Amino acid sequence: MAQTIEAFVGTALDEAKISPLHRRVIALIAAGYFFDVIDFTILGSLIPYIIKSGFTTAGEAAAIGSAAIFGMFIGTAGQGELSDRFGRRFIYQFNLLLFGIFTILGALAPNVTLLVICRFIAGIGLGAEQPLAFAYAGEYSPKRIRGRILAIVLSRLGIAGPTQPLATDAASNTRSDPVLLVLRMFPRRVIAGMICFTAFFGIAVGLGAWLPNIMNAKGFSITKSLQYTLVMNFAVPTASIFMMYALDKFGRKITSVCAFIGAGIMAIVFGNAGTPAQLMVAGFIMVFFVQVAGNAMQIFASEVFPTNARASGFGLASGVGRLATAFILPTILWVQNGWGLTTVFVCLAILLFIAAVSVTQLGPEARQKSLDEIAPPTG
C-alpha cells in the first residue's frame, strides 16, 4: 500500500537534519513570541507610573490589562479554526500586523477609553500569535530535538524526495470542524490544558502585571520595585536555557509537574519575603519555576492534538486560560486589598498545585516521539 503524502512529510520532517531554513523559521517564530512575553512585562512596569501620574486609577489599570486579555482570548480561541483551515503562515503574519498597529495607536491614546479599545484589538492579534508559534515550530522540528527547538522559541529543509509514488488520499479528516473534533475526541486533554493555561497565565501575566505595584505596596520605591522586577526577569532566559536540556532529557510531563510544584512553594516564600535580598532571590526562583512549568506545559500541549486540529486544540485550551486571566488580574487587587498579600500568594500557590496534577492528564509523554505517534491524524 502506497504511503500517503501526509505520512511521508511527517516522517521526513521528524528525521530531518537542521537546515538554514529551519533556523529562519524558528527565528521568525521566536521573534513573534517575544512580543507576547514582553508585552505584559512592560505593562507591569508602567502601571505604578500611570497610576501615580493620575492618568488612571488602580481599577482602570486593571481594566487596561483585562481588555488586552479578553482580546487575546478571542484571538487565541479563533485562530485555530482559521489556521487549521487556511494555513499557519498567513494568519501568523496578519496577527503580528494587527498587534503592531494597535499597540502604536495605544501609545498615542489620549484617554483611558481609547487605550482600552486599542489594547483589546492588539490583544486579538497577540493572542492568536502564541498558539501558532508553538504549532508551527513543532511541526517543522525533528522529533529528536523538538523540545530543544521549541524551547528556543522542502530540498530547502535538506529532505530527500520520495523514492516511490505517494497516495493522494488525505490521511486526516480535513472536513470536520477542528474545534468540535478535539472536543469530541480529546475532552480530557482540552480541560487539563485549560486548567494549566489558567495557572500559567494567571501567574505570568496576572501577577507579572501587578508585581512592581505589589513591591511598591511592600514599602519599596517605584524605582527600586522596577529594579527588583528586572533582576527577577533574568530568570526567563535562564529557564529557556534549562528547558533546552531538560525537555529532551527528562521529558515534558515530569519537567512541568516538578516546576509547577516548585513555583507554588516559591510563591508562598515570595509572599513572605521582607528584605530586598529575600525578595530578589525568592522572586528569581519563583519566576524561573513559573517559566519552566508554563512553557514546558505549552510545548507539551502543542504536541498532544492531531495535526489537522493541533492549532484548534491548543488555541481552545490557551484561550480559556487567557479568559480566566482577565478575571484573575482584578481579583489579585481585590484579594490584596481585602485580605493582604499573603493570601494572594497562597491562592496562587493552590492554583499552581492544581495545575501540576492537571499536566499529568494532558496526554502521553511526547519526548523524542513523532507528532503522529502522540496524536495520530483523525481519519
Side-chain angles (χ1 to χ4, degrees), residues 1 123 178 223 236 263 267 305 344 352 358 362:
M1 183 177 179
T223 302
V236 177
F305 297 104
V344 170
L352 289 165
S358 299
L362 270 177

Side-chain angles (χ1 to χ4, degrees), residues 3-18 22 139-144 154-155 157-162 166 370 372:
Q3 187 181 31
T4 65
I5 294 173
E6 285 179 318
F8 167 77
V9 171
T11 301
L13 286 172
D14 280 337
E15 303 299 332
K17 296 180 179 180
I18 297 298
H22 277 107
E139 290 166 354
Y140 266 83
S141 306
K143 66 180 180 181
R144 67 186 180 279
L154 280 250
S155 57
L157 287 174
I159 296 174
L166 301 174
S370 70
D372 286 352

Side-chain angles (χ1 to χ4, degrees), residues 250-258 300 359-365:
F250 305 116
R252 284 76 157 142
K253 189 179 292 188
I254 188 65
T255 300
S256 185
V257 168
C258 291
F300 192 18
V359 170
T360 65
Q361 303 302 307
L362 270 177
E365 173 56 52

Side-chain angles (χ1 to χ4, degrees), residues 36-37 39-41 43-44 47 65-66 68-69 72 119 130 197-211 290-291 321-322 325-326 328-329 332:
D36 194 345
V37 175
D39 185 72
F40 273 92
T41 301
L43 176 63
I47 281 178
S66 293
I69 297 171
M72 291 167 82
R119 289 292 295 168
Q130 188 193 47
F197 276 110
T198 297
F200 176 47
F201 291 146
I203 309 302
V205 175
L207 180 60
W210 285 118
L211 203 53
V290 167
Q291 291 297 319
R322 299 273 194 194
T325 303
I328 289 174
L329 200 64
I332 289 175

Side-chain angles (χ1 to χ4, degrees), residues 135-158:
Y136 210 176
E139 290 166 354
Y140 266 83
S141 306
K143 66 180 180 181
R144 67 186 180 279
I145 56 168
R146 191 168 62 244
R148 196 179 312 165
I149 290 293
L150 286 164
I152 299 174
V153 187
L154 280 250
S155 57
R156 294 174 66 193
L157 287 174

Side-chain angles (χ1 to χ4, degrees), residues 16 35 41 86 111 119 126 163 167-168 172 180 242 253 282 299-300 302 313 316 323 358:
F35 292 107
T41 301
F86 304 113
N111 55 57
R119 289 292 295 168
L126 188 58
T163 57
T168 57
S172 60
L180 295 179
F242 172 75
K253 189 179 292 188
I299 290 168
F300 192 18
S302 73
L316 185 60
L323 182 61
S358 299

